[in-house]
Amino acid sequence: MLAALPTGAYAAASQPVTQDKPEACLHPSSDKTQLTSAQTCPDRKEPVTVWGKRAGFTAPASTTHLSASLMQAYRMQTLGDIAERIPNLSFTNTTPNNPVLMVRGLGGSEDEGPTLYTPVLIDGVPVPSFAMGQMFDFSGVDVMRGPQLTEGINAFGGLVSAQSRDPGNKVSGALDFEYGTGNRKRAMFSGDMPLGASTSLRVAVGGETADGYIHNHTLGRTDTGGWHGWFGRIKLLHKDNEGGEWRFSLHRMLNHGGNDYFETPDHAAKHQSYNTSEGTNNTAYLLGSFQYHRRFSQKLILDTTFGGVSTEWRYSNPYSVFSANSGFTLPTRQIGGSVMLSGSSGRLDWKGGIYGQQVKRWAPYGFDMSPYYASQTTATLATANVAFMAEVGWHLARDWRLVPSLRIEHVDSSLNHWTSSMTGEVPYAFAIQESLPRQTLSKTVPLPGLKLEYNPRATEHISQFGWLSYTRAFLPPNYSPYGSYASTVSVPYASSYGNTLELGYRIGHPTGRWSVEAIGFANFLSNLQVSATNGAGESLVGTAGSAHSRGMEATAHWKPLPSLQLNAFMGLTYAAYDRFVFGGVDYSGKQMSGTPRSNFGFSADWQPLPGWTLNASVVRRGRTTLYPNSFTENAPYILVDAQIEKRWKHWNVALYGHNLTDSSYFTRGLSAGYVVAANPRQLGFRVGVNF
């Protein structure tokens, strides 16, 4: 977790909270202004009500908040960078720019089907995580582990929420340039402009190009894994006379690149390729978001979010990977939003609202190794869901709060325009054509939750918070779009259910001098959706009859000096199938792919002199098998990152190193024995100016 604290400055729980002291006295966060000896807190008997988002120290969830400065200090520019450096998060990808997240062992199949184990939000609007290959101009990212019932979108494994920077209230601008290993060049301009006393605009635009880190000996090129693209954002903030805050934002990202990554383990470990072409990996998204926040009174708050996103992923493998032309074009369109109300009355506080979303995905796939075999499938998946959610907090005693919650989720799914064509001429000529009429299904489920919170009054030396929770989680049923035979595609895979228990405790100094957090969890799963290949070679989403995930997260930070902060984290996860037979293979008792049993890390942030900052971290991630091929093993590896930065009044210069030990490890595996290697050591510098 690097310099991030056990929980973020805020956890995404829009509800009022009554505290005995203001947040500065309760929350041990280095991002907050610390109390000095001249500052005092209100008397312990004086109630202070904090409205809106809940203070991170008293959020009953396992959450990591990453600030913009932290992500810059450790060069976190993709979701994969984040996943490797905080506890019990991992990822898989077919290219470094298309990570798919796994939380506590759950996830990974997002690029194989419409299942979202861990939704990713930008300004409240969900996007496929494989579209988030480049992050830019975010004020922060919150990673929430475990199912979430009252955060709008349904979240089975966890939730990642990224917030773009708000416009400032004065004219300003910044220009940043970065150059690093692999001939990687990145530039971005951002600026704020007030349009009136209560309205301001922010513009951010930039571009990136790189040769990549692959040496293709067959083609004699070093840019077959390279990419180039641009990104931009416009955001408008308006505060009306009634206290309402209006946010409108438009986001655009376009990235074109090669796909020369699948190789044998020996070649991939050295970032060498002998493929006969570079392949294609092009991604893009266009996203629009509207957010409205208003406090009607001291006991009533409204939060509204609405938006839509269009994404596209154009992907093809080098011909030599399968001795075939293979790939897909994956457009997705979705629109939706939520309306949430929160308030309090006496010993009760409450939160409730409605969420709705429509998603449409086109999923064609082609595989052509003529004259021996060729196949082409088409499919259109459509999903509409609406959810009603509510929770009530009852302060049953001075230090205790009981919070029952309920989410009612309704989902309609359909498979349209499914066709399959299979042909071959050698050694025997054959042709198979199949299609299906429109397939539909519906599901409505109640999802209860219950939390018991312990929040004793803070003393001058200690703040404490603990919780015990139960959450029922759900993944809707759907169809496998990439199947080759109508007889298998027409049978939907079943709903997944989880029963999650979580026990957490935090303790820290009220001024943020130190803090410690420990969280244990156990997740009991049924009909778990898993991407797998059956005996006929079809890529399907199967269901493991039963499975489980259990473990813990622990974090700590200590400021022995005002200029020095030390941090540590540890994550332990054992995620395994209890009962799962698919494609003639028995996976029962095997560990889930892509999830290390252990990961831990240490970091330090030091300001030895005014204007100078040194950041360094060491992270170790344990042994695991590669997703989705659970028979290919990834050895443990260590990541070392460092940065030294000097800041003047308007200038900043930084030198950085990413994966300084040049650890070689893999992020994807195929049944044919091919793997995708992670990026090697990267060195570079960054120069910025603000005005």
Side-chain angles (χ1 to χ4, degrees):
M1 195 166 58
L2 307 177
L5 297 179
T7 58
Y10 295 94
S14 278
Q15 63 181 51
V17 183
T18 300
Q19 298 179 342
D20 298 302
K21 291 187 178 183
E23 184 184 9
C25 301
L26 282 176
H27 182 61
S29 171
S30 61
D31 291 334
K32 299 291 183 180
T33 301
Q34 304 302 331
L35 292 174
T36 67
S37 58
Q39 293 174 295
T40 59
C41 295
D43 183 84
R44 295 179 193 171
K45 297 181 180 179
E46 178 186 351
V48 177
T49 301
V50 178
W51 295 93
K53 291 184 181 297
R54 196 167 178 185
F57 190 76
T58 58
S62 180
T63 303
T64 299
H65 173 78
L66 301 170
S67 65
S69 59
L70 179 69
M71 289 188 290
Q72 186 181 67
Y74 293 96
R75 200 171 166 274
M76 298 182 188
Q77 295 182 344
T78 73
L79 288 178
D81 294 334
I82 290 177
E84 289 183 303
R85 291 162 176 85
I86 63 177
N88 284 343
L89 211 65
S90 56
F91 74 101
T92 180
N93 60 23
T94 51
T95 75
N97 285 334
N98 301 100
V100 177
L101 296 180
M102 290 176 277
V103 181
R104 295 174 173 176
L106 305 179
S109 61
E110 183 177 332
D111 54 355
E112 299 288 341
T115 298
L116 290 178
Y117 277 85
T118 304
V120 177
L121 311 180
I122 299 178
D123 286 352
V125 179
V127 299
S129 65
F130 56 71
M132 277 279 282
Q134 294 183 12
M135 301 188 298
F136 63 97
D137 203 42
F138 288 149
S139 62
V141 175
D142 291 293
V143 179
M144 306 177 71
R145 290 171 287 268
Q148 310 295 322
L149 298 182
T150 59
E151 300 304 326
I153 191 171
N154 179 47
F156 186 84
L159 180 69
V160 177
S161 178
Q163 306 86 39
S164 64
R165 290 182 184 270
D166 276 347
N169 57 7
K170 63 180 181 179
V171 177
S172 63
L175 182 63
D176 291 280
F177 175 78
E178 181 180 327
Y179 181 81
T181 308
N183 196 29
R184 183 176 179 272
K185 299 180 286 289
R186 179 184 175 102
M188 191 181 82
F189 166 79
S190 59
D192 298 326
M193 178 179 293
L195 303 180
S198 56
T199 306
S200 54
L201 181 72
R202 181 173 179 83
V203 176
V205 62
E208 179 173 301
T209 180
D211 291 344
Y213 314 104
I214 303 295
H215 183 190
N216 188 304
H217 293 275
T218 301
L219 302 176
R221 293 170 53 184
T222 58
D223 61 351
T224 54
W227 64 91
H228 64 275
W230 67 273
F231 44 84
R233 178 178 294 120
I234 300 176
K235 187 172 186 179
L236 181 73
L237 171 62
H238 174 70
K239 299 180 180 180
D240 60 35
N241 296 330
E242 287 73 35
E245 297 180 359
W246 304 74
R247 289 173 172 84
F248 302 88
S249 57
L250 184 65
H251 319 246
R252 174 64 166 163
M253 190 278 291
L254 185 87
N255 192 77
H256 288 173
N259 183 33
D260 192 5
Y261 297 103
F262 280 110
E263 260 292 356
T264 63
D266 289 341
H267 293 156
K270 300 173 184 176
H271 297 93
Q272 297 178 350
S273 169
Y274 292 85
N275 287 312
T276 56
S277 61
E278 61 180 324
T280 303
N281 181 62
N282 299 340
T283 55
Y285 69 78
L286 176 64
L287 182 150
S289 172
F290 160 72
Q291 296 172 296
Y292 178 67
H293 169 83
R294 181 177 174 184
R295 180 187 300 177
F296 287 93
S297 68
Q298 291 297 312
K299 297 186 177 181
L300 183 63
I301 295 175
L302 170 68
D303 283 288
T304 300
T305 299
F306 182 80
V309 62
S310 171
T311 65
E312 184 170 300
W313 185 11
R314 187 180 298 272
Y315 178 93
S316 66
N317 291 303
Y319 180 88
S320 51
V321 172
F322 299 113
S323 296
N325 293 312
S326 60
F328 56 78
T329 299
L330 192 65
T332 302
R333 309 288 184 266
Q334 58 191 57
I335 189 170
S338 64
V339 178
M340 303 293 293
L341 282 169
S342 57
S344 67
S345 177
R347 300 171 67 89
L348 298 178
D349 57 75
W350 53 272
K351 169 185 173 181
I354 184 173
Y355 176 83
Q357 179 179 251
Q358 284 188 324
V359 182
K360 194 170 186 179
R361 173 182 287 188
W362 291 263
Y365 184 79
F367 186 90
D368 187 351
M369 56 185 307
S370 300
Y372 306 101
Y373 175 80
S375 71
Q376 177 70 46
T377 61
T378 66
T380 302
L381 292 164
T383 303
N385 71 292
V386 61
F388 300 90
M389 65 206 84
E391 71 175 28
V392 177
W394 174 34
H395 296 266
L396 54 96
R398 187 186 68 174
D399 299 336
W400 297 88
R401 179 172 176 259
L402 187 66
V403 190
S405 58
L406 178 65
R407 180 185 184 96
I408 299 177
E409 184 93 7
H410 175 78
V411 181
D412 291 316
S413 299
S414 66
L415 175 73
N416 296 282
H417 311 300
W418 182 86
T419 65
S420 174
S421 172
M422 292 176 285
T423 60
E425 296 180 4
V426 177
Y428 303 104
F430 70 93
I432 301 174
Q433 304 284 335
E434 290 192 311
S435 63
L436 283 172
R438 186 171 186 262
Q439 307 287 304
T440 62
L441 56 87
S442 294
K443 191 75 174 181
T444 302
V445 294
L447 303 171
L450 184 64
K451 297 176 183 176
L452 179 64
E453 302 174 5
Y454 172 65
N455 186 17
R457 296 185 178 184
T459 69
E460 295 181 358
H461 304 289
I462 294 293
S463 294
Q464 300 178 73
F465 182 76
W467 72 94
L468 174 64
S469 66
Y470 161 78
T471 309
R472 176 75 163 167
F474 161 77
L475 274 180
N478 215 308
Y479 298 90
S480 298
Y482 299 116
S484 300
Y485 297 96
S487 58
T488 54
V489 174
S490 62
V491 180
Y493 51 85
S495 305
S496 297
Y497 294 95
N499 294 292
T500 301
L501 297 174
E502 191 171 281
L503 176 65
Y505 177 70
R506 299 187 187 107
I507 185 170
H509 195 277
T511 64
R513 187 184 308 163
W514 62 271
S515 68
V516 177
E517 173 186 83
I519 299 166
F521 65 90
N523 199 353
F524 305 95
L525 308 157
S526 59
N527 291 334
L528 183 66
Q529 296 169 14
V530 182
S531 176
T533 302
N534 67 5
E538 294 179 278
S539 180
L540 304 173
V541 177
T543 53
S546 62
H548 69 273
S549 171
R550 61 175 181 264
M552 59 91 68
E553 293 109 22
T555 56
H557 94 277
W558 177 41
K559 296 188 70 174
L561 300 171
S563 60
L564 176 64
Q565 178 167 307
L566 306 176
N567 313 278
F569 79 82
M570 179 175 65
L572 302 175
T573 299
Y574 180 71
Y577 304 113
D578 300 321
R579 181 166 48 86
F580 183 33
V581 178
F582 195 86
V585 179
D586 189 354
Y587 297 93
S588 303
K590 294 186 178 296
Q591 185 178 353
M592 294 181 191
S593 301
T595 301
R597 292 196 182 189
S598 65
N599 55 98
F600 58 87
F602 307 91
S603 67
D605 305 283
W606 183 34
Q607 296 176 331
L609 295 170
W612 288 88
T613 303
L614 176 63
N615 308 94
S617 74
V618 179
V619 175
R620 184 189 186 275
R621 298 184 64 84
R623 187 180 306 274
T624 185
T625 53
L626 295 183
Y627 183 94
N629 174 18
S630 60
F631 299 103
T632 304
E633 190 172 79
N634 210 24
Y637 59 91
I638 294 176
L639 297 172
V640 179
D641 303 322
Q643 176 180 277
I644 183 168
E645 182 179 35
K646 176 67 171 79
R647 288 185 173 270
W648 295 272
K649 184 177 181 180
H650 295 290
W651 291 86
N652 65 87
V653 177
L655 300 176
Y656 67 79
H658 210 57
N659 186 15
L660 281 171
T661 56
D662 202 19
S663 293
S664 179
Y665 57 100
F666 309 123
T667 60
R668 190 79 166 193
L670 292 179
S671 57
Y674 289 106
V675 298
V676 174
N679 290 335
R681 175 173 50 233
Q682 300 153 66
L683 305 174
F685 69 89
R686 187 182 67 253
V687 178
V689 59
N690 60 77
F691 46 89

